[in-house]
Amino acid sequence: MKKIIAISAAMLLAAFLFTGCSCAAEKITEKIIESAAASEGQDIDVDLSSGEVNITGEDGEQFSISSDDEGATITTEDGETTISSGENLSIPDDFPSQIPVPSDLNIITSASGQEGGQQQFSILGQYQGGSGTELFEWYKQEMSGWNITSQQTYEDEEGTTSTIIADNDNYNVNVFIMDSDGEVHLSLQATEK
């Protein structure tokens, strides 16, 4: 089962628990997580009824996600990932300094963990230093020494979306920037090679 499914599930769980959702919302959250997995070709069963997420994959693989006031923890056979949610969070302590993060980012979710012996990081936040185009240009400049395998921008009725996929000797990085309704959101994922 892909780690991104687990991280997505944990982020939804954190939102679910922090807002004190009802039983109807519990069922909706279960369905959203199952649908996200289905879009990745995974058939999973999600159970939120115990106050934590217990997921069983189609091959019998299991993992659990528990949550408290500060975030969520994903436990799998390969390791553990910790996710924090809130406002103006700090970058995870072990986040690599070679991966650029703008100083004027209000981090609302951050994750750090290991899978298969590789360190993984994820940051989600609202950029407060300008437009999505300016942030995209900043990332292209900051990552000029990286091997950029893909960079693109497209517009639709929701706004402007820009992406960068890059790597260096140590990390693979995905940058996703969404500029919509006057707000700029950044999603950054990094995986150790």
Side-chain angles (χ1 to χ4, degrees), residues 86-138:
E87 290 287 326
N88 294 310
L89 298 175
S90 298
I91 295 171
D93 291 338
D94 50 353
F95 192 85
S97 61
Q98 63 189 274
I99 299 174
V101 177
S103 61
D104 37 13
L105 183 69
N106 174 9
I107 299 173
I108 55 177
T109 305
S110 69
S112 173
Q114 284 199 353
E115 182 174 2
Q118 295 176 308
Q119 192 69 32
Q120 298 181 341
F121 303 93
S122 180
I123 293 174
L124 176 64
Q126 184 175 0
Y127 178 63
Q128 300 173 327
S131 70
T133 300
E134 291 168 326
L135 181 57
F136 184 55
E137 292 300 322
W138 182 84

Side-chain angles (χ1 to χ4, degrees), residues 35-152:
S35 294
S39 73
E40 295 288 332
Q42 298 289 322
D43 180 22
I44 64 171
D45 180 43
V46 178
D47 180 12
L48 294 176
S49 61
S50 66
E52 64 179 39
V53 176
N54 294 297
I55 299 176
T56 303
E58 57 192 21
D59 59 356
E61 179 184 8
Q62 295 184 353
F63 67 91
S64 65
I65 305 168
S66 59
S67 180
D68 59 26
D69 291 340
E70 296 180 10
T73 301
I74 302 168
T75 305
T76 70
E77 297 167 354
D78 294 327
E80 190 172 276
T81 297
T82 302
I83 298 174
S84 299
S85 294
E87 290 287 326
N88 294 310
L89 298 175
S90 298
I91 295 171
D93 291 338
D94 50 353
F95 192 85
S97 61
Q98 63 189 274
I99 299 174
V101 177
S103 61
D104 37 13
L105 183 69
N106 174 9
I107 299 173
I108 55 177
T109 305
S110 69
S112 173
Q114 284 199 353
E115 182 174 2
Q118 295 176 308
Q119 192 69 32
Q120 298 181 341
F121 303 93
S122 180
I123 293 174
L124 176 64
Q126 184 175 0
Y127 178 63
Q128 300 173 327
S131 70
T133 300
E134 291 168 326
L135 181 57
F136 184 55
E137 292 300 322
W138 182 84
Y139 262 103
K140 289 194 302 187
Q141 177 64 35
E142 290 294 311
M143 298 184 87
S144 62
W146 290 61
N147 174 34
I148 297 179
T149 58
S150 173
Q151 62 180 357
Q152 58 184 332

